[in-house]
């Protein structure tokens, strides 16, 4: 017992969840073979940055990385929280990548967390900070997180490849979350959204809005998409534009879709091709993202596919009650989350999550939409 | 009872009320009170408030009182039927604990018990079972007992009074959650004097109340009748026990625990025989309490250590509650009791076997019968069972002979469940399984026979795949050591399988090889009903080898068909039941699983992983991205058809339709399920409308019916909860409504949980929520030190507690600690103490501290006398708010109060710093004006730079500051002058010039390291009467080795010797003198050439004559003075005498005068009288 026993894992997949769950369940992890076979082995800059972030917000956590970066030992500490914490997220992933685990971490900290994150705010890979404001934070409210003290302030925006954005995240602490029974999707009553543009003409935004509206007008008239044109220092270092849409239903579900368009990062393009790719025109972006949102609505879960993982984690971190939520087709990330929850939290008193499907719908599981997830 | 029959026609004396005395007074008092209350009702105006302020105050007070009574409602998560409540009977030795248990058992079950060993489970009512446990008399046993007691009966010897044990136990109870407590006074028949008895009762009762609460129940057992307590009193006590209500205690409600009521050693006997001190495998049985227990939970066995469970199975309840038929009371048949450790009960259930316990003399009987009457009864038709038993006892033939005769395949070294050794009654267990064996009474075979068996097995195996045998061989080779041991031993227990058992046995074999451990076969289930194990086997078989014989295929098919394909499989892969801990096991490199590198035998976890990875194309380095948007197949939402398809998902669409359909947006999906779920969610939203049944099928109606019932039930329950609440708070509207709402929510949540979980099938449910509380569990633990079995004592109950999340980690804990006021001494810093936290007991070294005003944690040398202090220690972590009880000495033979301190865990983190004061002392080596160079304070320049700007002070009180490390040139003597290059010389400035003789010191704080030491108390691994020995305190060590306490000479107080200071004469320089005014000028006293007259005068020496004269004069003077002295004395004496004389005379004179006066007065009086008479 005196020696710490590490939970052994392999590969770099789902590093965020592994670290998060390891911290929340205070079980040390040892991850091996992190991109051992690749030309660039080891941890990526954003992953290292994530580890530093974990170190910053928690007390007495120990991170050990071997020389090549293919092996990682993480012994979690106690999440302390605190104010005036600053973290530079780097430019290899956007802030959204860091926000996802940080939100949960902050809820279970000892003191409320206020942290300033620097880096890329909008990115096509990760959910943008606008989506966090519009969708993720209201999602927390469902689980009994007080809305006062929960805040994400976008101070400046940054697009890839150089970033330069800055957000301030404030998370209150909770004693415990409430289990939810959330199976009603309701009907979409309004659609809101935000577009942004940095270092490009604000006309880009208008054309995106116009295009998106064109699609939504067939369904619902209550569509408001705001513009957020940043200039000067607030615009970061690189040009870019994007849009984040949220559909709000009568049952209080928020279904979001977002994207951002910018020049790709140097390290990604450098290997493959030298000349810069042509960016997608804003009208197409608008139409595309509107279609994606409609696709998410069609699927009919209480959250969109991006938030499935977060939803499952929140359910799992409730006290031992059964949560029942309805999600759309399980996303790969959601599936991984469920597995990790079982691996990390299953051994303790928490019941492992059960993905249960009403028996009648078993014909084709991937298309069957109403799922219950029991998590305790 | 006899009276009852005749009592009807008996005439009773009419009651005569008291006419005088205290009783009469009491009665009249009572009456008066009633009248006064009645008055209040009859004339309410008289008692109305006259002042609004007063009314308001009273009202607020009553409201406050009401609120104070409320508790935050907690959800009760024990859904199953409750486990028996544990009644711990505690008391000092010889107070009648066992007798009380015996009497209670007798009362409940009408059974006599010879001795009380281990827990005794009893069905005490239709809804309730009770488990009696006798608390052992040592402090470790008391601590453990306090952790599982639901009710503690404190037995107190009334004739003697309270003993320390009772108070110790009470204190332990208080720390560990304080379950219900009831006092029982015994030995009251020793009082002859009724008055004294009454007084004693009163006194003890009040003492008891101060300890617990006013009005705590104290029972009196007045003496013994036929060596038993009186029936009526036991009846009353039993009644109290069976109506007692128990509150959930927070620690227990969040941790599963088991009070072990049966204990077996299941180590293969062969291993034990070879090495008596080998690690054992044990099984522990008991009811699960606290909360649900999941597979993979680690457990702490109190007094032994932490173990991960090798197996956990739910067994049939050995002492079930009666069926819920409506009747009054229990039937005789239902008055069960279960006490396997006491050797009671003939039937014992295991996972896959039933053991019949036959007493020695019974066995003897049948044997004798066989010998004597065997011939006589041969001709008769015998009972089959009897015949079997008889044949089993018959051991005429040797095994060789038998083997020759029979064609039986023998597999695997299957150890049978052997008894827990201590229990003598178990010596001759006959298992039902053993019926299948050839030679059950002859348990072991010799070495040659094994070989022959092996060959026999091969012969037998040829009609099958042939692979099996080689498999077996391989196992033999691989596990060389073990096999070797077995051959050497020559004694081995084996099990025979008949032809139709082959596949079973085979299955087991492959199991065993895979696990590569000496598993007890009973653990490897053979019952087809066990879903999870079957699954495991399936996996193993998959990994095992390429060829899957036909029986395996069919098995697989069976299993697959039983597993309904669901999303669970999709997400978690096939083997849902493989415990997650398999991943954890990897840390132990010495484990066999890793050591055998061949891919033939794969660890189970790996197999599972592969399976899972297969699902995701083995991409372990996939990008970590939560967004999953497929831009390729975006539909064209301008298409009218598509628009129509999701039209109703928007508020602009058809509301009714969307109501029905929004659950299943795809048009082709079944609608009924959507309806069902729509139904359910409506329930949640509290806007239930009657659902149109419409055109859906029959199943839907049925389901809906169920749902409706379910919903009604939920509402009813919620209503009932509300009603219960209303009982207490009828007159409150706003205040209680919130409370009501909370209660209602919790009730609803509970019902919802139950309904959701009950929908699942049993194995899945167990997989998800674990074994429910109240289940009778069988835990198997491997590699327990042999001492546990060796020194197992049923009188010391074993507590098995589940370990929560992160509780197996070790770290620093901070606790708020208070020395117990009855403990005689203060606690010394870093003296080891034994603490009990959570389930654990361990010895640790605390560092005490107190929090200063500025939030600094200052180390203390000794704990405060009457105050809390902080204690930081190292050990397995416990969550905040866990109670801690500390003892220093666990020995039994001391009179003092053993509980040293109580504490509560504040937090477990590593941030809390404890500091102590440190004084760095330095000496000036060179002094400039206000600057000085200080040496010896720091050891290096680096250290100096660390302290730059720190405040320093000299002893004389001159304050200063550290500036910088001194440069070589300024400070110390430069090298060329032969000085040493000094390190750590600091340049400091002071407010005044200091002196070379000054000592400079710097006051700072330094962090104190808390020793990383903890030592679990392994009291179950040693003889119980022996005192556990741990780390000793320094004082104890000194005492043992007769060492004096080291004294620092410098710290002693010595008398201060101050030499008179010698001052040099004041010398005023000439120049200054010249400048001074005359008054201040030193006056010019010319130095004398000649000495003073006095000094000049020579000494006088007398002549002999002179001397004589001088002596004579002196003598004369002496004589004279002597004379004078004598005369003075004489005069004195005379004066005194005269004084005495005079006083005497005076007295006489006074007397005379008085007489005279009296006579005169008398005369006058007479005269007056005469005159009056004349007048």
């Amino acid at each position: 017992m005196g020696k710490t026993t590490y939970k052994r894992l392999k590969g770099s997949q789902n590093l965020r969840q592994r670290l998060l769950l390891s911290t929340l369940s205070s079980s040390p992890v040892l991850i091996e073979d992190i991109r051992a076979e690749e030309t660039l082995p080891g941890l990526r800059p954003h992953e290292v940055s994530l580890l530093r972030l974990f170190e910053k917000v928690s007390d007495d956590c120990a991170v050990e990385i071997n020389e090549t970066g293919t092996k990682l030992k993480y012994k979690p500490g106690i999440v302390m929280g605190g104010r005036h914490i600053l973290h530079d997220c780097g430019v290899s992933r956007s802030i959204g990548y860091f926000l996802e685990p940080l939100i949960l971490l902050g809820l279970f900290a000892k003191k409320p967390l206020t942290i300033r994150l620097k880096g890329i705010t909008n990115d096509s890979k990760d959910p943008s900070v606008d989506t966090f404001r519009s969708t993720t934070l209201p999602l927390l409210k469902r689980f009994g997180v007080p809305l006062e003290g929960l805040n994400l302030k976008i101070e400046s925006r940054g697009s890839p490849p150089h970033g330069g954005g800055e957000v301030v995240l404030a998370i209150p602490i909770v004693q415990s979350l409430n289990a939810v029974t959330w199976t009603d999707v309701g009907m979409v009553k309004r659609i809101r959204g935000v577009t942004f543009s940095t270092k490009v003409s604000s006309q880009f935004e208008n054309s995106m809005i116009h295009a998106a509206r064109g699609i939504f007008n067939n369904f619902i008239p209550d569509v408001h998409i705001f513009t957020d044109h940043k200039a000067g220092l607030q615009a970061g270092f690189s040009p870019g534009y994007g849009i984040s849409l949220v559909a709000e239903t009568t049952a209080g579900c928020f279904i979001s879709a977002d994207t951002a368009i910018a020049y790709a990062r140097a390290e990604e393009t450098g290997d493959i091709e030298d000349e810069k790719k042509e960016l997608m025109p804003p009208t197409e972006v608008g139409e595309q993202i509107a279609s994606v949102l409609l696709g998410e609505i069609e699927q009919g879960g209480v959250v969109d596919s991006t938030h499935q993982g977060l939803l499952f984690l929140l359910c799992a971190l409730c006290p031992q009650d059964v949560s029942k939520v309805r999600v759309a087709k399980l996303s790969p990330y959601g599936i991984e989350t469920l597995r990790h929850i079982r691996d990390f939290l299953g051994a303790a008193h928490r019941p492992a999550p059960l993905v249960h499907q009403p028996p009648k719908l078993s014909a084709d599981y991937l298309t069957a939409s109403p799922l219950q997830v029991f998590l305790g | 009872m006899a009276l009852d029959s005749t009592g009807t026609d008996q005439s009773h004396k009419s009651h005569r009320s008291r006419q005088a005395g205290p009783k009469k007074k009491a009665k009249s008092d009572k009456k008066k009170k009633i009248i006064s209350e009645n008055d209040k009702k009859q004339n309410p105006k008289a008692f109305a408030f006259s002042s609004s302020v007063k009314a308001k105050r009273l009202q607020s007070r009553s409201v406050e009182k009401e609120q104070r009574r409320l508790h935050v409602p907690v959800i009760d998560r024990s859904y199953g039927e409750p486990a028996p409540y544990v009644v711990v009977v505690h008391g000092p030795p010889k107070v009648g604990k066992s007798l009380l248990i015996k009497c209670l058992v007798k009362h409940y079950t009408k059974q006599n018990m010879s001795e009380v060993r281990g827990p005794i489970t009893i069905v005490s009512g239709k809804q309730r079972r009770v488990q009696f446990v006798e608390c052992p008399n040592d402090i470790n046993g008391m601590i453990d007992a306090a952790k599982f007691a639901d009710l503690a009966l404190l037995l107190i010897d009334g004739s003697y009074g309270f003993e320390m044990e009772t108070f110790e136990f009470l204190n332990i109870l208080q720390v560990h959650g304080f379950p219900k407590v009831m006092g029982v006074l015994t030995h009251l028949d020793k009082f002859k004097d009724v008055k004294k008895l009454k007084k004693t009762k009163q006194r003890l009762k009040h003492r008891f109340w101060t300890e617990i609460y006013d009005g705590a129940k104290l029972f009196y057992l007045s003496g013994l009748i036929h060596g038993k307590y009186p029936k009526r009193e036991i009846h009353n006590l039993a009644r109290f026990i069976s109506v007692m209500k128990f509150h959930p205690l927070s620690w227990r409600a969040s941790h599963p625990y088991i009070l072990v009521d049966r204990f077996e050693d299941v180590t293969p006997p062969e291993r034990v025989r070879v090495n008596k001190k080998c690690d054992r495998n044990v099984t522990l049985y008991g009811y699960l309490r606290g909360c649900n227990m999941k597979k993979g939970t680690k457990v702490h066995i109190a007094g032994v250590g932490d173990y991960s469970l090798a197996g956990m199975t739910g067994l049939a309840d050995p002492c079930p509650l009666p069926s819920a038929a409506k009747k009054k009371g229990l039937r005789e048949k239902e008055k069960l009791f279960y006490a396997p450790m006491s050797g009671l009960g003939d039937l014992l259930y295991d996972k896959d076997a039933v053991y019949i316990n036959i007493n020695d003399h019974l066995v003897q009987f049948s044997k004798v019968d066989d010998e004597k009457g065997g011939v006589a009864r041969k001709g008769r038709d015998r009972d089959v069972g009897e015949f079997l038993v008889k044949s089993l006892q018959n051991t005429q033939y040797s095994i060789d002979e038998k083997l020759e005769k029979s064609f039986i395949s023998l597999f695997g070294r299957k150890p049978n469940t052997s008894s827990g050794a201590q229990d003598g009654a178990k010596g001759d267990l006959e298992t039902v399984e053993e019926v299948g064996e050839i030679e059950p009474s002859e348990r072991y075979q010799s070495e040659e026979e094994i070989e022959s068996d092996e060959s026999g097995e091969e012969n037998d195996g040829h009609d099958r795949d042939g692979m099996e045998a080689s498999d077996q061989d391989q196992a033999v080779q691989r596990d060389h050591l073990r096999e070797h041991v077995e051959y050497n031993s020559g004694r081995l227990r084996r099990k025979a399988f008949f032809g139709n058992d082959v596949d079973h046995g085979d299955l087991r074999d492959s199991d065993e090889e895979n696990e590569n451990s000496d598993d007890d076969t009973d653990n490897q289930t053979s019952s087809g009903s066990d879903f999870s194990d079957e699954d495991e086997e399936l996996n193993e078989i998959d990994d095992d080898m390429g060829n899957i014989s036909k029986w395996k295929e069919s098995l697989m098919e069976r299993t697959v068909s039983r597993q309904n394909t669901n999303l669970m499989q999709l997400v978690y892969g096939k083997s849902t039941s493989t415990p997650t801990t398999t991943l954890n096991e990897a840390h132990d490199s010495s484990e066999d699983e890793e050591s055998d590198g061949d891919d033939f035998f794969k660890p189970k976890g790996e197999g599972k992983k592969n399976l899972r990875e297969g699902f995701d194309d083995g991409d372990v380095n996939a990008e970590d991205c939560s967004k999953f948007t497929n831009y390729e197949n975006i539909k064209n939402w301008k298409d009218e058809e598509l628009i129509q398809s999701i039209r109703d998902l928007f508020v602009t669409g058809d509301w009714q339709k969307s109501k029905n359909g929004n659950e299943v947006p795809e048009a082709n999906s079944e609608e009924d399920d959507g309806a069902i779920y729509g139904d359910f969610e409506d329930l949640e939203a509290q806007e239930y409308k009657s659902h149109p049944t419409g055109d859906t099928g029959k199943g839907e109606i049925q389901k809906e019916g169920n749902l409706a019932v379910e919903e009604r039930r939920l509402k009813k329950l919620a209503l009932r909860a509300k009603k219960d609440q209303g009982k207490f708070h009828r007159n409150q509207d706003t205040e209680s409504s919130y409370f009501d709402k909370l209660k209602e929510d919790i009730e609803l949540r509970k019902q919802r949980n139950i309904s959701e979980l009950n929908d699942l099938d049993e194995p899945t449910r167990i997989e998800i929520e674990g074994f429910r509380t109240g289940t009778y569990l069988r835990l198997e633990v491997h590699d327990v030190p042999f001492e546990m079995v060796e020194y197992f004592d049923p009188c010391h109950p074993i507590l098995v507690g589940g370990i929560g999340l992160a509780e197996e980690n070790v770290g620093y804990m901070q606790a708020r600690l208070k020395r117990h006021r009855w403990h005689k001494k203060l606690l010394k810093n870093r003296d080891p103490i034994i603490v009990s936290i959570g389930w654990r007991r361990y010895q640790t070294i605390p560092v005490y501290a107190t929090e200063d005003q500025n939030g600094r944690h200052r180390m203390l040398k000794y704990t405060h006398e009457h105050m809390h202090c902080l204690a930081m220690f190292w050990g397995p972590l416990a969550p905040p708010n866990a109670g801690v009880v500390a003892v220093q000495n666990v020995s039994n033979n001391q009179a003092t109060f053993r509980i040293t301190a109580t504490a509560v865990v504040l937090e477990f983190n590593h941030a809390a710093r404890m500091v102590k004061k440190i004084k760095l002392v330095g000496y000036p080596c060179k002094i400039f004006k206000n600057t000085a160079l200080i040496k010896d304070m720091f050891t290096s320049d680096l250290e100096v730079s660390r302290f730059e700007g720190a405040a320093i002070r000299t002893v004389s009180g001159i304050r200063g500051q550290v500036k910088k490390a001194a440069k070589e040139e300024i400070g110390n003597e430069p090298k060329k002058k032969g000085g040493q290059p000094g390190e750590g010389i600091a340049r400091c400035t002071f407010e005044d010039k200091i002196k070379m003789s000054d000592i400079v010191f710097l006051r700072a704080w330094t962090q104190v390291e808390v020793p990383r030491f903890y030592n679990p108390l392994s009291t179950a691994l040693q003889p119980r009467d022996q005192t556990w020995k741990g780390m000793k305190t320094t004082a104890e060590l000194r005492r043992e080795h007769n060492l004096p306490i080291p004294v620092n000479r410098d710290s002693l107080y010595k008398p201060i010797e101050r030499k008179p200071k010698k001052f040099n004469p004041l010398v005023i320089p000439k120049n200054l003198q010249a400048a001074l005014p005359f008054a201040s000028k030193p006056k010019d006293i010319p130095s004398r050439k000649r000495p003073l007259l006095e000094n000049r005068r020579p000494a006088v020496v007398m002549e002999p004559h002179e001397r004589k004269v001088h002596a004579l004069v002196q003598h004369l003077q002496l004589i004279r003075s002597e004379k004078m002295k004598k005369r003075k004395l004489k005069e004195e004496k005379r004066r005194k005498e005269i004084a005495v004389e005079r006083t005497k005379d005076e007295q006489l004179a006074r007397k005379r005068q008085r007489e005279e006066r009296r006579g005169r007065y008398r005369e006058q009086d007479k005269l007056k009288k005469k005159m009056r008479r004349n007048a």
Side-chain angles (χ1 to χ4, degrees), chain A residues 1-2 5-8 10-16 24-26 33-36 38 59-60 78 93 97 100 110 123-127 179-181 183-184 186-189 191 215 218-221 250 258-259 287-289 291-292 294-295 297-300 305-306 319-322 324 326 330-333 335-336 338-339 342-343 346-358 360-362 365-367 369-372 374, chain B residues 75 77 79 254-256 291-292 294-297 306 565-568 570-572 575-576 578 580-581 583-584 586-587 608-609 612 615-616 619-629 631 634-635 637-638 642-643 645-652 654-655 658-659 662-666 669-670 672-673 677 680-681 684 699 703 749 752-753 756-757 760 764 767-769 803-806 808-810 840 876 907-911 1014:
Chain A
M1 202 162 54
T5 52
Y6 288 90
K7 188 189 268 290
R8 291 205 168 200
K10 270 191 178 174
S12 69
Q13 58 164 347
N14 297 88
L15 184 78
R16 286 186 295 171
L24 293 181
S25 66
S26 58
D33 295 343
I34 301 171
R35 301 198 184 88
E38 290 178 27
D59 188 9
D60 196 49
I78 289 141
R93 284 296 280 267
Y97 175 86
E100 283 184 357
K110 276 196 164 178
D123 187 353
S124 52
K125 249 188 213 168
D126 292 302
V180 294
T181 303
T183 49
D184 183 16
M187 286 173 286
V188 176
K189 61 177 179 186
I191 290 173
I215 287 185
N218 292 324
F219 299 97
I220 195 161
T250 49
D258 64 9
T259 191
E287 275 185 20
Q288 188 196 49
I289 207 66
S291 308
V292 169
L294 288 176
I297 293 170
E298 183 200 20
Q299 300 249 336
S305 58
T306 314
Q320 275 180 302
D321 286 322
V322 174
K324 192 166 167 182
R326 177 186 147 139
L330 279 176
S331 65
Y333 185 74
I335 292 176
E336 278 304 322
L338 286 172
R339 287 178 185 167
R342 194 181 69 145
D343 283 356
H349 310 312
R350 291 177 202 292
L354 162 71
V355 180
H356 183 68
Q357 186 184 20
K360 281 210 171 170
L361 289 174
S362 56
Y365 41 75
L366 278 174
T367 57
S369 77
L371 299 179
Q372 298 168 38
F374 295 134
Chain B
I75 187 162
R77 287 178 208 283
Y79 306 138
S254 55
H255 292 81
C291 66
N292 293 347
K294 288 209 58 186
K295 279 188 175 154
T297 312
D306 285 11
T565 52
N566 57 12
L567 270 173
M568 201 134 165
L570 174 75
V571 173
Y572 299 127
S575 76
T576 50
T578 320
T580 45
T581 41
L583 279 173
N584 282 340
H587 66 263
K608 191 189 89 186
K609 267 198 135 185
R612 278 175 43 175
F615 176 71
D616 335 288
D619 188 8
V620 291
N621 289 326
E623 187 154 40
D624 188 5
C625 184
S626 65
K627 222 160 148 182
F628 177 63
T629 318
Y631 289 105
I634 291 173
K635 293 171 187 166
W637 288 103
K638 285 172 182 163
L642 271 173
I643 289 172
S645 74
I646 62 163
R647 182 85 244 162
D648 298 331
L649 292 178
F650 292 84
V651 282
T652 47
D654 186 354
W655 279 65
S658 78
K659 195 92 222 155
N662 81 3
E663 296 305 318
V664 190
E666 287 92 324
S669 288
E670 290 95 326
D672 52 355
D673 269 287
Y677 284 90
F680 196 83
E681 98 220 358
E684 158 69 3
K703 273 203 170 178
R749 173 137 295 288
R752 193 170 295 142
N753 287 352
E756 293 295 350
L757 289 167
L760 308 169
T764 328
E767 182 70 27
I768 288 162
E769 66 157 1
I803 301 173
L805 208 64
E808 56 184 318
N809 294 347
V810 190
R840 300 171 198 276
E907 51 185 342
F908 50 102
N909 71 357
H910 311 257
Y1014 89 94

Side-chain angles (χ1 to χ4, degrees), chain B residues 424-462:
Chain B
K426 296 248 182 70
D428 41 9
L429 275 180
E430 303 280 320
T431 69
V432 166
E433 272 189 344
E434 278 173 40
V435 174
E437 289 186 5
I438 326 165
E439 193 59 86
S441 52
E442 186 80 37
R443 295 197 168 192
Y444 308 111
Q445 294 174 334
S446 62
E447 159 187 347
E448 303 86 39
E449 283 147 25
I450 289 167
E451 276 164 346
S452 67
D453 288 352
E454 217 82 313
S455 64
E457 179 196 310
E458 268 173 10
N459 288 341
D460 196 59
H462 66 79

